[in-house]
Amino acid sequence: MGNWENIGTVFKNTVSTGLLIASVVLTIQLISLARQNQEAKIDLAEVNHIKYGLLNADEWREQVTLIISKKIIEFDLTPENREELHKSLEIIMYGLLNDLEVVVEERTSGEFAAMKKWIAGMILDVDQLRDSVPSYASQVLDELNKPDTKRGIQTYLSDKLGDLSDITYSMDSTGIMDDLLIKYECPGKRECKELLHTIIDETTKAINLRVILILLSVLLIFLINTLSNGPLNRYQSPLLILSSFSLLVGGISTPMIDLEARIDRLVFQLIGEEVVFRDNIIFFQSKSITDIVELLVREGSLDMIFVGVLIFTFSIVFPLTKLISSYIYSRNRQVIDNNRMIRFFVIKSGKWSMADVMVVAIFMAYIGFDGIVGSQLASLRESAETVEIFTTNGTELLGGFYLFLSFCLSSLVLSEILNKRVD
């Protein structure tokens, strides 16, 4: 019977060790992939930022120029618009004749006014010209409808449009965008967006797979080593501690949450044609716990540094100290009677630990931001009745959150196991 027990113990230790090595390797890979994915997301958010789209004069110039160019090419006289143009030309001609009468009246006033008016009347009969306005308007329209005239007008208007387009440009710096195009070796913004989407999709799938495998590995380690009611040996305790440690490292080193607000599509009509802006990012952040601590400390103000120290203490130092104390306790339980600090961290730190509180805070921040962004984007859609707007709230919890949450749970379970089952 003893041999079978020894074989079972060796088997459990071997499988647990293999699972631990796998979780460590997967955690290292996860951290690397998460950093790549975070960088790609930040770069994509920059490429899609609203300052390069809806708020960029170059984007407006490109779309408006295409629309006007299309209208110039499509210019043609039809029975419907001919009548309107005829009326407009008549109004213009009558206005010119009225101005002409005013000028003639001014020039023929003063000395010898009667003679001047008689001579002017002999040369210019304004009433006769006024009667001929409808005929002149028809002749002008006939001339406009000739192919050579239309080509000449289209060429002239296209040249003028080109001149106006050349002097219309954005005053904002595009240095960051240019650097990103060079970084990813993309010929343009569209190609860069497609490449970044491909990178993000591939790395996200790899990250999600590794998060699931890490959680399963750690869960199996705990199940294999805690299913029996007997005490833990000196080999099993470090396995449980190290598996919790892998969860902690993955949780604090990888992004926990993406905060994003975007306008997916904005469409409105301009002279019968659609003006469309797509994928305009209003706000984006993707941070891990270590990123948040670094950001707060770099900010420099005393209150931000204080908050950063608190997060660092309760989310990194406190959990690490607890795991180290758990290891010391697992090697020599008698030390707990002589060391209050180890006793506190192993047995009593659960109710004082802020790690679980931080997880709840992150989750509540996610819910709050998700609701705020969703509400604001919905109000934007409702306020623009003549504009078709599709908005997206891309806020989501990431693998780092689930790993850190799993660490909090495993830490509580570990404390209970070490307290009751360490021999």
Side-chain angles (χ1 to χ4, degrees), residues 1 7 23 30 53 62 132 154 175 182 185 220 248 252 273 286 289 295 302 316 326 345 358 377 391 400 410 418 421:
M1 188 68 178
I7 292 173
S23 66
L30 173 66
E62 181 178 346
S132 302
Q154 290 170 349
I182 294 173
E185 299 180 351
L220 288 174
L248 175 62
I252 65 176
E273 299 292 334
S286 179
I289 292 178
L295 183 66
L302 186 60
I316 300 176
S326 298
F345 277 104
M358 182 171 181
L377 293 178
T391 57
S410 69
L418 291 178
R421 298 180 56 183

mmCIF file of all heavy atoms in Angstrom, residues 1 7 23 30 53 62 132 154 175 182 185 220 248 252 273 286 289 295 302 316 326 345 358 377 391 400 410 418 421:
data_model
loop_
_atom_site.group_PDB
_atom_site.id
_atom_site.type_symbol
_atom_site.label_atom_id
_atom_site.label_comp_id
_atom_site.label_asym_id
_atom_site.label_seq_id
_atom_site.Cartn_x
_atom_site.Cartn_y
_atom_site.Cartn_z
ATOM 1 N N MET A 1 0.837 -1.216 0.000
ATOM 2 C CA MET A 1 0.000 0.000 0.000
ATOM 3 C C MET A 1 0.862 1.253 0.000
ATOM 4 O O MET A 1 0.588 2.245 -0.651
ATOM 5 C CB MET A 1 -0.906 -0.008 1.249
ATOM 6 C CG MET A 1 -1.946 1.109 1.249
ATOM 7 S SD MET A 1 -3.182 0.840 -0.048
ATOM 8 C CE MET A 1 -4.233 2.250 0.262
ATOM 9 N N ILE A 7 3.938 6.033 -5.345
ATOM 10 C CA ILE A 7 3.789 6.196 -6.795
ATOM 11 C C ILE A 7 2.784 7.310 -7.101
ATOM 12 O O ILE A 7 3.012 8.136 -7.986
ATOM 13 C CB ILE A 7 3.342 4.861 -7.439
ATOM 14 C CG1 ILE A 7 4.455 3.819 -7.338
ATOM 15 C CG2 ILE A 7 2.952 5.086 -8.904
ATOM 16 C CD1 ILE A 7 4.054 2.434 -7.799
ATOM 17 N N SER A 23 2.691 26.736 -17.131
ATOM 18 C CA SER A 23 2.071 28.023 -16.783
ATOM 19 C C SER A 23 3.102 29.146 -16.769
ATOM 20 O O SER A 23 2.805 30.271 -17.178
ATOM 21 C CB SER A 23 1.373 27.927 -15.424
ATOM 22 O OG SER A 23 2.307 27.724 -14.383
ATOM 23 N N LEU A 30 2.791 35.229 -22.646
ATOM 24 C CA LEU A 30 1.639 36.132 -22.526
ATOM 25 C C LEU A 30 2.084 37.573 -22.327
ATOM 26 O O LEU A 30 1.547 38.491 -22.960
ATOM 27 C CB LEU A 30 0.762 35.690 -21.358
ATOM 28 C CG LEU A 30 -0.393 36.634 -20.983
ATOM 29 C CD1 LEU A 30 -1.419 36.703 -22.107
ATOM 30 C CD2 LEU A 30 -1.047 36.194 -19.683
ATOM 31 N N GLY A 53 -9.126 62.451 -38.801
ATOM 32 C CA GLY A 53 -10.312 62.118 -39.576
ATOM 33 C C GLY A 53 -11.312 63.248 -39.614
ATOM 34 O O GLY A 53 -11.178 64.205 -40.392
ATOM 35 N N GLU A 62 -10.253 66.187 -49.338
ATOM 36 C CA GLU A 62 -10.246 65.043 -50.255
ATOM 37 C C GLU A 62 -11.660 64.649 -50.657
ATOM 38 O O GLU A 62 -11.948 64.445 -51.834
ATOM 39 C CB GLU A 62 -9.537 63.872 -49.587
ATOM 40 C CG GLU A 62 -9.442 62.637 -50.459
ATOM 41 C CD GLU A 62 -8.696 61.510 -49.790
ATOM 42 O OE1 GLU A 62 -8.028 61.761 -48.767
ATOM 43 O OE2 GLU A 62 -8.796 60.366 -50.273
ATOM 44 N N SER A 132 -35.475 91.632 -75.143
ATOM 45 C CA SER A 132 -34.739 90.530 -75.772
ATOM 46 C C SER A 132 -34.065 89.607 -74.763
ATOM 47 O O SER A 132 -33.410 88.629 -75.162
ATOM 48 C CB SER A 132 -33.665 91.098 -76.724
ATOM 49 O OG SER A 132 -34.253 91.920 -77.718
ATOM 50 N N GLN A 154 -15.824 72.713 -67.931
ATOM 51 C CA GLN A 154 -15.376 71.697 -66.991
ATOM 52 C C GLN A 154 -13.885 71.823 -66.711
ATOM 53 O O GLN A 154 -13.434 71.681 -65.569
ATOM 54 C CB GLN A 154 -15.701 70.308 -67.547
ATOM 55 C CG GLN A 154 -17.192 69.989 -67.555
ATOM 56 C CD GLN A 154 -17.511 68.716 -68.332
ATOM 57 O OE1 GLN A 154 -16.654 68.178 -69.028
ATOM 58 N NE2 GLN A 154 -18.751 68.251 -68.220
ATOM 59 N N GLY A 175 3.485 64.523 -37.692
ATOM 60 C CA GLY A 175 4.750 63.839 -37.433
ATOM 61 C C GLY A 175 4.566 62.445 -36.862
ATOM 62 O O GLY A 175 5.262 61.507 -37.263
ATOM 63 N N ILE A 182 6.243 54.894 -41.257
ATOM 64 C CA ILE A 182 7.614 54.401 -41.435
ATOM 65 C C ILE A 182 7.835 53.142 -40.595
ATOM 66 O O ILE A 182 8.453 52.169 -41.045
ATOM 67 C CB ILE A 182 8.621 55.499 -41.042
ATOM 68 C CG1 ILE A 182 8.515 56.690 -42.013
ATOM 69 C CG2 ILE A 182 10.038 54.949 -41.037
ATOM 70 C CD1 ILE A 182 9.340 57.881 -41.599
ATOM 71 N N GLU A 185 6.115 50.337 -42.213
ATOM 72 C CA GLU A 185 6.442 50.268 -43.643
ATOM 73 C C GLU A 185 5.166 50.249 -44.486
ATOM 74 O O GLU A 185 5.002 49.396 -45.378
ATOM 75 C CB GLU A 185 7.306 49.033 -43.932
ATOM 76 C CG GLU A 185 8.642 49.044 -43.194
ATOM 77 C CD GLU A 185 9.478 47.819 -43.490
ATOM 78 O OE1 GLU A 185 8.945 46.889 -44.138
ATOM 79 O OE2 GLU A 185 10.651 47.785 -43.094
ATOM 80 N N LEU A 220 -5.768 23.026 -12.277
ATOM 81 C CA LEU A 220 -5.421 21.606 -12.175
ATOM 82 C C LEU A 220 -4.386 21.364 -11.082
ATOM 83 O O LEU A 220 -4.447 20.361 -10.365
ATOM 84 C CB LEU A 220 -4.900 21.094 -13.524
ATOM 85 C CG LEU A 220 -5.951 20.928 -14.626
ATOM 86 C CD1 LEU A 220 -5.286 20.564 -15.951
ATOM 87 C CD2 LEU A 220 -6.966 19.846 -14.236
ATOM 88 N N LEU A 248 -0.100 36.088 -10.366
ATOM 89 C CA LEU A 248 0.176 37.472 -9.953
ATOM 90 C C LEU A 248 1.018 38.203 -10.994
ATOM 91 O O LEU A 248 0.704 39.338 -11.374
ATOM 92 C CB LEU A 248 0.889 37.471 -8.602
ATOM 93 C CG LEU A 248 1.353 38.838 -8.087
ATOM 94 C CD1 LEU A 248 0.162 39.768 -7.857
ATOM 95 C CD2 LEU A 248 2.185 38.692 -6.814
ATOM 96 N N ILE A 252 -0.375 41.528 -13.040
ATOM 97 C CA ILE A 252 0.125 42.902 -12.883
ATOM 98 C C ILE A 252 0.911 43.379 -14.098
ATOM 99 O O ILE A 252 1.134 44.587 -14.252
ATOM 100 C CB ILE A 252 1.002 43.033 -11.624
ATOM 101 C CG1 ILE A 252 2.274 42.192 -11.752
ATOM 102 C CG2 ILE A 252 0.205 42.666 -10.374
ATOM 103 C CD1 ILE A 252 3.239 42.329 -10.586
ATOM 104 N N GLU A 273 -24.534 64.000 -52.442
ATOM 105 C CA GLU A 273 -23.549 62.930 -52.306
ATOM 106 C C GLU A 273 -23.226 62.711 -50.832
ATOM 107 O O GLU A 273 -23.317 63.626 -50.016
ATOM 108 C CB GLU A 273 -22.262 63.278 -53.072
ATOM 109 C CG GLU A 273 -22.447 63.467 -54.563
ATOM 110 C CD GLU A 273 -22.795 62.179 -55.280
ATOM 111 O OE1 GLU A 273 -22.424 61.099 -54.770
ATOM 112 O OE2 GLU A 273 -23.424 62.246 -56.362
ATOM 113 N N SER A 286 -5.099 51.744 -22.657
ATOM 114 C CA SER A 286 -4.920 50.327 -22.349
ATOM 115 C C SER A 286 -3.758 50.230 -21.369
ATOM 116 O O SER A 286 -2.607 50.479 -21.738
ATOM 117 C CB SER A 286 -4.630 49.523 -23.622
ATOM 118 O OG SER A 286 -4.436 48.162 -23.321
ATOM 119 N N ILE A 289 -1.380 47.179 -14.293
ATOM 120 C CA ILE A 289 -1.125 47.779 -12.976
ATOM 121 C C ILE A 289 0.241 48.452 -12.957
ATOM 122 O O ILE A 289 0.377 49.587 -12.452
ATOM 123 C CB ILE A 289 -1.213 46.698 -11.884
ATOM 124 C CG1 ILE A 289 -2.654 46.206 -11.748
ATOM 125 C CG2 ILE A 289 -0.725 47.247 -10.542
ATOM 126 C CD1 ILE A 289 -2.834 45.099 -10.736
ATOM 127 N N LEU A 295 2.867 55.534 -14.614
ATOM 128 C CA LEU A 295 2.236 56.764 -15.099
ATOM 129 C C LEU A 295 1.999 57.740 -13.964
ATOM 130 O O LEU A 295 2.269 58.943 -14.097
ATOM 131 C CB LEU A 295 0.918 56.424 -15.795
ATOM 132 C CG LEU A 295 0.151 57.573 -16.440
ATOM 133 C CD1 LEU A 295 0.946 58.140 -17.601
ATOM 134 C CD2 LEU A 295 -1.219 57.105 -16.915
ATOM 135 N N LEU A 302 2.470 65.411 -5.927
ATOM 136 C CA LEU A 302 2.549 64.647 -4.689
ATOM 137 C C LEU A 302 1.370 63.697 -4.522
ATOM 138 O O LEU A 302 1.547 62.533 -4.112
ATOM 139 C CB LEU A 302 2.621 65.610 -3.498
ATOM 140 C CG LEU A 302 2.859 64.962 -2.130
ATOM 141 C CD1 LEU A 302 4.187 64.209 -2.121
ATOM 142 C CD2 LEU A 302 2.832 66.027 -1.035
ATOM 143 N N ILE A 316 1.229 44.905 -5.491
ATOM 144 C CA ILE A 316 2.460 44.213 -5.865
ATOM 145 C C ILE A 316 3.248 43.770 -4.621
ATOM 146 O O ILE A 316 3.516 42.582 -4.430
ATOM 147 C CB ILE A 316 3.338 45.107 -6.764
ATOM 148 C CG1 ILE A 316 2.573 45.470 -8.045
ATOM 149 C CG2 ILE A 316 4.647 44.405 -7.109
ATOM 150 C CD1 ILE A 316 3.301 46.419 -8.970
ATOM 151 N N SER A 326 4.244 32.785 2.895
ATOM 152 C CA SER A 326 3.613 31.470 2.772
ATOM 153 C C SER A 326 4.663 30.400 2.507
ATOM 154 O O SER A 326 4.574 29.275 3.040
ATOM 155 C CB SER A 326 2.585 31.489 1.640
ATOM 156 O OG SER A 326 1.545 32.412 1.915
ATOM 157 N N PHE A 345 0.778 37.759 7.587
ATOM 158 C CA PHE A 345 0.664 37.648 6.130
ATOM 159 C C PHE A 345 0.073 36.309 5.694
ATOM 160 O O PHE A 345 -0.680 36.259 4.720
ATOM 161 C CB PHE A 345 2.025 37.854 5.468
ATOM 162 C CG PHE A 345 2.392 39.298 5.274
ATOM 163 C CD1 PHE A 345 3.318 39.914 6.102
ATOM 164 C CD2 PHE A 345 1.785 40.055 4.289
ATOM 165 C CE1 PHE A 345 3.639 41.252 5.944
ATOM 166 C CE2 PHE A 345 2.105 41.389 4.112
ATOM 167 C CZ PHE A 345 3.029 41.993 4.944
ATOM 168 N N MET A 358 -8.995 46.120 -5.171
ATOM 169 C CA MET A 358 -8.597 46.746 -6.423
ATOM 170 C C MET A 358 -9.296 46.090 -7.601
ATOM 171 O O MET A 358 -9.694 46.771 -8.560
ATOM 172 C CB MET A 358 -7.087 46.666 -6.598
ATOM 173 C CG MET A 358 -6.618 47.341 -7.875
ATOM 174 S SD MET A 358 -4.858 47.486 -7.997
ATOM 175 C CE MET A 358 -4.748 48.337 -9.572
ATOM 176 N N LEU A 377 -22.328 58.764 -26.120
ATOM 177 C CA LEU A 377 -22.379 58.480 -27.551
ATOM 178 C C LEU A 377 -23.820 58.373 -28.025
ATOM 179 O O LEU A 377 -24.153 58.779 -29.146
ATOM 180 C CB LEU A 377 -21.627 57.188 -27.858
ATOM 181 C CG LEU A 377 -20.108 57.237 -27.634
ATOM 182 C CD1 LEU A 377 -19.494 55.882 -27.926
ATOM 183 C CD2 LEU A 377 -19.457 58.310 -28.481
ATOM 184 N N THR A 391 -21.976 54.862 -33.366
ATOM 185 C CA THR A 391 -20.916 54.954 -32.378
ATOM 186 C C THR A 391 -20.686 53.601 -31.731
ATOM 187 O O THR A 391 -21.568 52.758 -31.670
ATOM 188 C CB THR A 391 -21.276 55.979 -31.288
ATOM 189 O OG1 THR A 391 -22.524 55.599 -30.690
ATOM 190 C CG2 THR A 391 -21.415 57.366 -31.890
ATOM 191 N N GLY A 400 -5.437 40.373 -18.226
ATOM 192 C CA GLY A 400 -4.792 40.751 -16.977
ATOM 193 C C GLY A 400 -5.756 40.823 -15.820
ATOM 194 O O GLY A 400 -5.420 40.469 -14.679
ATOM 195 N N SER A 410 -7.000 32.459 -5.568
ATOM 196 C CA SER A 410 -6.030 31.407 -5.221
ATOM 197 C C SER A 410 -5.281 31.759 -3.945
ATOM 198 O O SER A 410 -4.928 30.861 -3.156
ATOM 199 C CB SER A 410 -5.040 31.203 -6.370
ATOM 200 O OG SER A 410 -4.180 32.321 -6.513
ATOM 201 N N LEU A 418 -2.760 26.232 3.662
ATOM 202 C CA LEU A 418 -1.533 26.219 4.453
ATOM 203 C C LEU A 418 -1.842 26.205 5.943
ATOM 204 O O LEU A 418 -1.092 25.622 6.742
ATOM 205 C CB LEU A 418 -0.691 27.445 4.101
ATOM 206 C CG LEU A 418 -0.067 27.468 2.697
ATOM 207 C CD1 LEU A 418 0.685 28.752 2.471
ATOM 208 C CD2 LEU A 418 0.843 26.274 2.491
ATOM 209 N N ARG A 421 -3.451 22.329 6.432
ATOM 210 C CA ARG A 421 -2.955 21.066 5.883
ATOM 211 C C ARG A 421 -1.443 20.971 5.709
ATOM 212 O O ARG A 421 -0.940 20.053 5.074
ATOM 213 C CB ARG A 421 -3.643 20.782 4.541
ATOM 214 C CG ARG A 421 -5.154 20.617 4.690
ATOM 215 C CD ARG A 421 -5.789 20.339 3.366
ATOM 216 N NE ARG A 421 -5.210 19.177 2.722
ATOM 217 C CZ ARG A 421 -5.556 18.757 1.505
ATOM 218 N NH1 ARG A 421 -6.485 19.417 0.830
ATOM 219 N NH2 ARG A 421 -4.979 17.698 0.980
#
